[in-house]
Amino acid sequence: MNVKLKSGVNLFYKRSGIYIAGLIIVCILIGLITTVKPAYRLSSGIITSWTSDINSATFLYLLGLENHAFQQAFTKDQSFPDFSSTIFQLATSVKPDDPRSLIGNELPGFSTFDNQILIAGEGTNYTNLPFESSPPLKEVLKDRQAVINDDEEKESQESVESKNEPTTGNKNVVFLYNSHNRESFLPHLPDVTDPNHAHHKEVNITKVSERLAKTLQTKGIGTAVDHTDIMAELNKKGWDYGKSYEASREVVSEAFSTNKDIQYAFDIHRDSIGREKTTKEISGQSYARIMIVVGAEHESYERNLELATELHYMIEERYPGLSRGVLPKKGELTNGIFNQDISNNALLLEFGGVENNLDELYRSADALAEVFSEMYWNAEEVNAAS
């Protein structure tokens, strides 16, 4: 009995010692956390930063260990998370299946690709994301010869057949503008071979804006097109090409302040990548594909993402393959806002690329107008019913 009693007493003292030591450690940790300078504390932002890139399946699996109902969310073909990879990622910030995380901070300019594709359209991946060249302003402002096919010019001037559509009357509810208004296209610049030099004062992306506006108007949607030569404004202010969005911001802000009817604002661009990534054949005709870009560096950008997502899926339903997807952009070497903080219904639309021609771009403008008008009037019906 004495031996058992002595053993029990020793066990009690050991456990008590562990409990007391644990309590002391907890108190010390609490003291450190509450007395350390705010800059060094563990905040929710830090924890979020550590865990934001971890595969969500990991958290789902951990919840499933406690509540088996969560395990039903795993599909049959979905593998359980690799915890060794997760721990490695937490410790090094390197994703084993994403080389960008390893070399992105080492190679100058590689951080351009450090954006997450929200919705990838057909063939869209991290190797063919929209790329905006940043040429010297003097190259953009140079006079160049441009050629437009007679059929293309005629098609651009002809009115698209108007049906018995509802109308916004004399209200312009859509505003179109071009931050890079002189972006042009190699097929129309016979003396230009360098994509970085594909700029022209007249034959440029503004023609796509005009075509889109014309087709929207035939759908009953009042649309205004801004014709400010942003490049000339940059030159006048002594700004470089990288400040294009600052210059166009003045235009957009004034438009919203002077016209309370505006509900949507679209900044129309063209991409700088090759034709094979920006062209799609649909029903035997060639279209310039559209990428929807959302600036992710302002507080309400998720509202813009909602519009972008809805528009993408509607385009895909009507014209499969026309949309390249939805890309939120932030970080170094990009504006990250694109004036979209001015309105929750503002988007940047990349129409085709530097190697597309106006014929293809006009088809895409008509297709987008058709899809957007359906979305717009459906929303109007819902608002009227409510």
Side-chain angles (χ1 to χ4, degrees), residues 275 279-288 319-320 359-360 363:
R275 175 182 179 82
T279 313
K280 176 68 177 178
E281 185 171 313
I282 303 173
S283 300
Q285 290 187 308
S286 185
Y287 288 73
Y319 296 91
D359 202 22
E360 297 163 333
R363 290 193 192 103

Side-chain angles (χ1 to χ4, degrees), residues 6-274:
K6 186 176 181 180
S7 177
V9 171
N10 290 336
L11 181 61
F12 172 77
Y13 281 126
K14 286 181 180 179
R15 289 182 175 177
S16 298
I18 292 173
Y19 293 147
I20 293 171
L23 183 60
I24 292 173
I25 292 172
V26 169
C27 291
I28 292 173
L29 288 174
I30 293 174
L32 288 173
I33 291 172
T34 55
T35 58
V36 73
K37 292 181 179 180
Y40 300 106
R41 292 179 187 173
L42 278 176
S43 65
S44 59
I46 294 174
I47 296 173
T48 299
S49 177
W50 284 351
T51 59
S52 60
D53 290 331
I54 296 177
N55 192 327
S56 58
T58 302
F59 300 108
L60 188 62
Y61 178 74
L62 292 174
L63 288 171
L65 295 178
E66 296 297 325
N67 186 337
H68 294 297
F70 285 101
Q71 294 182 1
Q72 302 301 316
F74 281 92
T75 59
K76 293 181 179 180
D77 60 344
Q78 185 174 8
S79 59
F80 288 105
D82 185 343
F83 286 102
S84 61
S85 296
T86 301
I87 295 172
F88 178 77
Q89 181 179 326
L90 279 173
T92 64
S93 297
V94 174
K95 301 178 186 178
D97 59 348
D98 188 352
R100 296 176 305 146
S101 61
L102 175 62
I103 61 179
N105 295 326
E106 304 300 327
L107 297 181
F110 201 84
S111 58
T112 306
F113 302 97
D114 195 20
N115 286 284
Q116 299 294 325
I117 303 172
L118 180 67
I119 304 174
E122 178 184 308
T124 299
N125 55 49
Y126 289 107
T127 67
N128 53 40
L129 294 181
F131 172 72
E132 289 185 310
S133 60
S134 185
L137 188 58
K138 64 179 182 179
E139 286 293 338
V140 177
L141 295 173
K142 279 184 178 179
D143 288 331
R144 297 180 173 90
Q145 180 186 1
V147 176
I148 298 181
N149 183 288
D150 290 340
D151 292 336
E152 289 172 330
E153 188 65 15
K154 181 180 179 181
E155 183 181 359
S156 135
Q157 293 172 354
E158 288 178 349
S159 296
V160 182
E161 182 182 356
S162 178
K163 299 179 181 178
N164 187 20
E165 303 275 1
T167 177
T168 61
N170 59 357
K171 297 179 179 179
N172 288 327
V173 298
V174 176
F175 179 71
L176 304 179
Y177 68 105
N178 307 94
S179 292
H180 295 157
N181 65 291
R182 294 200 184 193
E183 288 180 328
S184 190
F185 310 91
L186 290 176
H188 300 285
L189 302 173
D191 299 327
V192 179
T193 57
D194 186 344
N196 290 323
H197 297 167
H199 298 270
H200 195 270
K201 184 177 181 179
E202 297 176 355
V203 181
N204 53 45
I205 192 65
T206 61
K207 286 188 170 293
V208 181
S209 296
E210 292 167 358
R211 176 65 180 223
L212 177 59
K214 184 179 295 184
T215 312
L216 284 172
Q217 288 162 356
T218 66
K219 303 291 184 181
I221 300 176
T223 305
V225 182
D226 177 72
H227 293 95
T228 303
D229 188 345
I230 299 296
M231 299 299 104
E233 291 297 313
L234 290 176
N235 190 47
K236 189 184 303 182
K237 295 175 183 289
W239 292 356
D240 59 23
Y241 191 80
K243 289 194 173 183
S244 299
Y245 294 104
E246 293 181 40
S248 65
R249 186 176 185 84
E250 298 176 8
V251 171
V252 183
S253 297
E254 182 180 358
F256 273 92
S257 63
T258 57
N259 183 358
K260 302 302 181 183
D261 294 325
I262 295 178
Q263 300 175 31
Y264 297 86
F266 299 139
D267 189 2
I268 309 299
H269 292 249
R270 64 106 171 103
D271 204 346
S272 295
I273 63 175

